Amino acid sequence: MNIRTNPPGAVVYVDDQEIGVTPVSANYVHYGTREIRLEKDGYESVSQMHTFRAPWYEYPVLEFFSENLWPWEIRDTRDLDFTMTPRRIVPPEELRSRAEQLRANAQAGYVTPMNTPPNPAVNVTPQNQPQLLPPVMRPETLPEGGFVLPPPVMGQ
């Protein structure tokens, strides 16, 4: 796949793995949906899910013929072009009014939703499940010698 941006020089991440700086080319082994994220100083970050569909010669049965009997090399190249928009600079007056509005909402008991979805990589233990990690002990509660072995964690 070839990824180009206007303007060039954006850092490209495919499925949260850094690929390089645009213009960049990278190989992909499997077809399917990939998250492509572009970041560049002074520009809005771009995050897009892109689906790479398998071409006709990769379908079962046809794949055998195209890989083993076809005399020429078949190369599947995908070109992706992105246009990045300059980051908007928020005037201090607008920023202050938004902060005052958030403060007023918080004092009134309203919950303001986050703009970004929660990160699934962060493991948050629900309130109704027991903690598997030992509690943190303060130095003054440690026995003489100051060393305590933690209890074994279940499943190990």
Side-chain angles (χ1 to χ4, degrees):
M1 88 179 110
N2 301 318
I3 300 175
R4 293 182 296 267
T5 59
N6 183 18
V11 179
V12 179
Y13 298 90
V14 176
D15 293 334
D16 292 327
Q17 187 173 9
E18 185 175 338
I19 300 299
V21 178
T22 60
V24 66
S25 295
N27 293 330
Y28 57 95
V29 178
H30 302 287
Y31 294 99
T33 303
R34 303 274 186 264
E35 178 190 12
I36 298 173
R37 191 174 80 235
L38 306 166
E39 296 178 356
K40 181 174 172 72
D41 286 339
Y43 290 86
E44 295 288 332
S45 295
V46 175
S47 181
Q48 181 183 40
M49 299 300 283
H50 187 79
T51 301
F52 294 99
R53 299 198 187 281
W56 64 269
Y57 53 82
E58 288 293 329
Y59 292 149
V61 180
L62 293 177
E63 177 182 28
F64 173 78
F65 293 104
S66 67
E67 290 183 3
N68 297 308
L69 302 176
W70 190 259
W72 300 281
E73 178 185 10
I74 300 176
R75 186 174 296 235
D76 184 16
T77 303
R78 308 290 173 102
D79 294 326
L80 303 174
D81 294 314
F82 296 91
T83 301
M84 301 186 74
T85 57
R87 183 171 291 146
R88 180 177 165 257
I89 298 174
V90 180
E93 300 80 28
E94 181 182 341
L95 187 61
R96 185 180 310 276
S97 68
R98 286 171 37 194
E100 293 295 332
Q101 183 64 39
L102 282 172
R103 180 182 296 153
N105 288 348
Q107 290 173 345
Y110 297 117
V111 176
T112 304
M114 295 173 46
N115 286 340
T116 58
N119 187 354
V122 176
N123 187 9
V124 179
T125 304
Q127 295 293 335
N128 57 357
Q129 291 187 359
Q131 279 255 349
L132 297 178
L133 299 175
V136 177
M137 298 181 74
R138 285 180 268 137
E140 60 270 9
T141 63
L142 291 175
E144 276 188 48
F147 183 74
V148 176
L149 289 175
V153 178
M154 296 174 56
Q156 289 186 354

